[in-house]
Amino acid sequence: MERRKFIKTCCYSAIGIPIAATLMQSCGGIYYATTNRINGRLAISKSEFIQIKKDKKINRKFVLVRTEALDFPICIYNTGENIYSASLLKCTHRGCELNVGGGIYTCPCHGSEFSITGKVLEGPADKNLMTFKTETDYENIYIYVS
């Protein structure tokens, strides 16, 4: 293979592989759940974490919700058996909307990373995410957003 063709192929691969990976990841993971307001808190049915694909039940790790009171979505992450964490997807560094994936939240603007419980893992952000108290019962997850 001649040098020019080799370099051209490498450049296309370097650009194409991350784009393809992003597109494939975005197809599989982001889901906005339906919520109800009950006694001043958001209620999300636990069934929102279940996805049916080809007659197979798949449990989602997280769902997103939007609320009129907030400019950014809230991510509700299933951190264990009947344990949920709710974080506002607004970076505490410069206010960019965070991406969800790979078990962390990442800021596309400046690279900050946060755990699924909202703790700073990597700067430049130095403050944890805004998180919300959650409770559960047999059917629902409740988020206190007021």
Side-chain angles (χ1 to χ4, degrees), residues 25-41:
Q25 181 181 14
S26 67
C27 293
I30 305 301
Y31 174 76
Y32 283 87
T34 304
T35 62
N36 294 312
R37 272 255 187 222
I38 299 174
N39 299 328
R41 54 192 180 166

Side-chain angles (χ1 to χ4, degrees), residues 63-79:
V63 298
L64 302 182
V65 296
R66 287 211 179 266
T67 173
E68 293 176 10
L70 301 168
D71 293 333
F72 291 85
I74 298 171
C75 183
I76 297 92
Y77 223 103
N78 185 343
T79 60

Side-chain angles (χ1 to χ4, degrees), residues 1-141:
M1 178 183 279
E2 50 183 76
R3 183 172 183 248
R4 176 174 266 151
K5 189 174 181 180
F6 176 76
I7 292 171
K8 190 176 181 180
T9 302
C10 287
C11 288
Y12 285 137
S13 296
I15 293 169
I17 291 173
I19 291 172
T22 302
L23 290 175
M24 287 191 290
Q25 181 181 14
S26 67
C27 293
I30 305 301
Y31 174 76
Y32 283 87
T34 304
T35 62
N36 294 312
R37 272 255 187 222
I38 299 174
N39 299 328
R41 54 192 180 166
L42 291 177
I44 298 113
S45 173
K46 289 182 180 178
S47 66
E48 295 280 2
F49 280 84
I50 299 170
Q51 179 181 18
I52 306 294
K53 271 192 175 179
K54 297 181 183 177
D55 298 330
K56 217 176 179 185
K57 258 173 130 175
I58 300 169
N59 290 321
R60 292 183 173 100
K61 294 280 187 191
F62 65 89
V63 298
L64 302 182
V65 296
R66 287 211 179 266
T67 173
E68 293 176 10
L70 301 168
D71 293 333
F72 291 85
I74 298 171
C75 183
I76 297 92
Y77 223 103
N78 185 343
T79 60
E81 188 66 35
N82 211 28
I83 301 170
Y84 298 88
S85 172
S87 301
L88 185 66
L89 294 181
K90 180 180 180 182
C91 184
T92 56
H93 175 239
R94 296 283 176 136
C96 295
E97 186 170 327
L98 299 172
N99 295 323
V100 184
I104 60 172
Y105 304 128
T106 56
C107 180
C109 298
H110 300 105
S112 294
E113 295 180 352
F114 302 87
S115 72
I116 58 174
T117 58
K119 305 274 187 250
V120 174
L121 298 174
E122 185 73 34
D126 58 359
K127 293 181 186 171
N128 295 333
L129 296 178
M130 176 187 283
T131 58
F132 303 93
K133 180 182 173 190
T134 61
E135 289 181 351
T136 63
D137 62 18
Y138 183 72
E139 294 179 10
N140 296 308
I141 304 152

